[in-house]
Amino acid sequence: MALATIADVEARLGRSLTVAETSKANAYLADASALFIQRAVQKFEVGKSTVRLFPKDGIIRLVQRPVIEVIEVKDLDGNAIDYTFDGHQSLYDLGDFRGVTVNYEHGSATIPQDVVGVVAGMVARTLSISPDAAAGVQQQSVGPFSQSYANWAVGAQVMLSPADAKVADYYRGLSFRSTSTLGNGNYGINYPNPTKFRRD
């Protein structure tokens, strides 16, 4: 599901979309949402994840926020284990377990407004690209006049601008650039390797 709506895009364009634009916008919204989620390492919407984490001093910190419910915690052999949940993001009292698998529910029914703004803005920007640039034209000349298009505009690809990336990095940083990322091994200084945890 997209992190913004057609109405959000129209609000940023200041007009209603045509039928053809609406069809494109729906695809662009899905693309923009996927790019933002990948950069932010946050799903935002309500959902469930199953992750494998490695406790440090018996503590792990769950990445997806906010945590709604910790459904199940197991050791690597699939046995349920006891733990203490702080009601926010951390699980304690995991003892000497070298790895645990956690299934939990997370997210929010309301997408943050800055996220909505970025995703809708990415789509509005893409829809506003000149048809020539969208068709792949980089430069064209007529007599003594010439016109060039920005590299990002050519081909009409949905892209994160530097400002968009900063918003995504803010959410990413809340998860990984924190002294409370105990239990996520080197995730506190390096972004996670997708082979080290998985999502449903």
Side-chain angles (χ1 to χ4, degrees):
M1 186 174 173
L3 298 178
T5 66
I6 292 296
D8 295 322
V9 175
E10 291 178 331
R12 282 149 184 84
L13 285 173
R15 62 176 177 81
S16 297
L17 297 181
T18 66
V19 174
E21 286 176 327
T22 299
S23 179
K24 288 182 180 180
N26 281 317
Y28 290 160
L29 281 168
D31 294 344
S33 298
L35 286 172
F36 192 89
I37 288 169
Q38 182 184 47
R39 179 87 183 199
V41 196
Q42 288 293 308
K43 295 183 179 180
F44 297 101
E45 297 177 306
V46 174
K48 294 179 182 178
S49 290
T50 299
V51 295
R52 178 175 291 182
L53 297 172
F54 302 90
K56 180 177 181 181
D57 299 326
I59 304 170
I60 61 173
R61 181 174 168 83
L62 300 173
V63 171
Q64 297 298 318
R65 300 174 295 106
V67 176
I68 298 171
E69 178 187 7
V70 177
I71 300 168
E72 192 173 47
V73 181
K74 294 182 178 182
D75 63 20
L76 297 185
D77 294 320
N79 303 308
I81 57 178
D82 293 328
Y83 61 91
T84 299
F85 176 44
D86 69 353
H88 297 284
Q89 284 183 267
S90 299
L91 303 184
Y92 298 86
D93 302 325
L94 291 170
D96 296 327
F97 289 103
R98 294 187 177 182
V100 296
T101 300
V102 183
N103 179 258
Y104 66 110
E105 186 177 18
H106 50 76
S108 175
T110 303
I111 306 301
Q113 282 303 304
D114 55 348
V115 175
V116 172
V118 166
V119 172
M122 290 168 68
V123 175
R125 187 168 62 239
T126 307
L127 288 171
S128 299
I129 291 173
S130 161
D132 289 334
V137 176
Q138 290 186 308
Q139 185 174 5
Q140 54 187 352
S141 300
V142 178
F145 304 102
S146 65
Q147 183 173 19
S148 299
Y149 299 103
N151 289 335
W152 63 265
V154 176
Q157 300 178 53
V158 178
M159 299 176 67
L160 286 162
S161 71
D164 298 337
K166 284 185 178 180
V167 177
D169 288 345
Y170 165 76
Y171 286 97
R172 184 173 191 158
L174 288 178
S175 294
F176 298 108
R177 300 287 181 178
S178 168
T179 57
S180 59
T181 53
L182 294 174
N184 289 287
N186 64 355
Y187 294 170
I189 55 174
N190 296 305
Y191 292 146
N193 183 320
T195 64
K196 292 188 177 180
F197 70 92
R198 58 187 173 80
R199 299 187 176 100
D200 289 341

